[in-house]
Amino acid sequence: MFRILYSDIRKIFTHWGFKVCLIVNISYHIFTVVLLKIVSYVAFKESIDADSVAFTYAGMAAFLITASTLLTTTSEYTDGCLRNKLISGVKRYEIILSAVIGGMVQGAVHSMAAAITATVTDAILTTGFDFYTIPEVADYWLVITLACMAIGAFSTVIIMVLGGGRSAYVVGLTLVIALRVLSMRILDKLFPVSGEVVITGKTLALYRFTDRFVPYLHLASRPHYGFESYLIGSFGLILISTVLGIIIFNRKEIV
């Protein structure tokens, strides 16, 4: 198991897809901060604060993690790595567990890279935080990291189950877009810009549950629940993904 895990993680770190996504991750924040700083200075003769740009990564994290896991995990099928593992006697549950951990590692690495980039860039190009305290910033990044690890695990399982073909790309990207739209709808209903919350009963309870425990929604807004809610939601998705992945992958015909 550990030999397979080491091999898989090493392959991820050397894969071109992971490197490209990491470059996009870092470049995106730097470009956003520089652009907003220029616009703010030219239009208003003002500097920007860190509050408005520190967590730009959260808005694109689900897309980035999904893309990173798609590119790295589909190679298990296209390069023949999966078949070689089975021929060498590696058990299927070990393959899926290693893949899930690899997806979690990608989520964690991308989040840490984003946090470091944001910290350095914002310290140089912004006036600092006006509303966030240092502990709040740290908590926010921890919530983002947990959510990205869960999304990485979930996305990886989908790819392993679907077989790494075009269907994996279609389902993976469609799902992340649909969940992004859903998260905006739920937040709009729970926290309307004007007026009161109009949903009630089971719909309200379902929306609150989704907002509280689904990691995709944890990236859509500033943390507003206790940390245990985000922890339960992230590890719950990881556990569900892993169990279902093992069950389905064990029955899957590898061609």
Side-chain angles (χ1 to χ4, degrees), residues 65-95:
I65 302 303
T66 300
S68 183
T69 52
L70 274 169
L71 292 170
T72 56
T73 309
T74 51
S75 64
E76 285 288 299
Y77 287 91
T78 58
D79 295 347
C81 296
L82 181 58
R83 179 174 290 276
N84 290 337
K85 289 177 182 177
L86 292 173
I87 292 174
S88 64
V90 180
K91 293 180 174 58
R92 291 196 175 210
Y93 77 87
E94 293 179 332
I95 293 175

Side-chain angles (χ1 to χ4, degrees), residues 34-52:
V34 171
L35 179 62
L36 290 178
K37 185 174 179 66
I38 293 173
V39 171
S40 181
Y41 180 78
V42 172
F44 308 106
K45 303 297 181 183
E46 296 178 351
S47 298
I48 58 173
D49 56 66
D51 300 76
S52 57

Side-chain angles (χ1 to χ4, degrees), residues 169-247:
Y169 285 88
V170 173
V171 173
L173 295 176
T174 300
L175 184 61
V176 73
I177 292 172
L179 287 170
R180 178 65 175 176
V181 173
L182 177 64
S183 67
M184 298 308 295
R185 173 178 172 79
I186 290 176
L187 289 175
D188 181 62
K189 295 296 184 181
L190 290 178
F191 310 102
V193 177
S194 59
E196 299 180 351
V197 177
V198 295
I199 55 175
T200 59
K202 294 181 179 179
T203 302
L204 178 59
L206 177 62
Y207 276 28
R208 283 179 173 171
F209 177 87
T210 305
D211 179 46
R212 187 168 187 171
F213 294 112
V214 176
Y216 283 89
L217 273 81
H218 298 169
L219 300 172
S221 64
R222 178 176 178 172
H224 45 274
Y225 295 106
F227 180 72
E228 66 279 358
S229 297
Y230 301 106
L231 192 65
I232 292 171
S234 294
F235 278 97
L237 180 58
I238 292 171
L239 180 60
I240 293 170
S241 301
T242 304
V243 172
L244 291 179
I246 291 173
I247 293 173

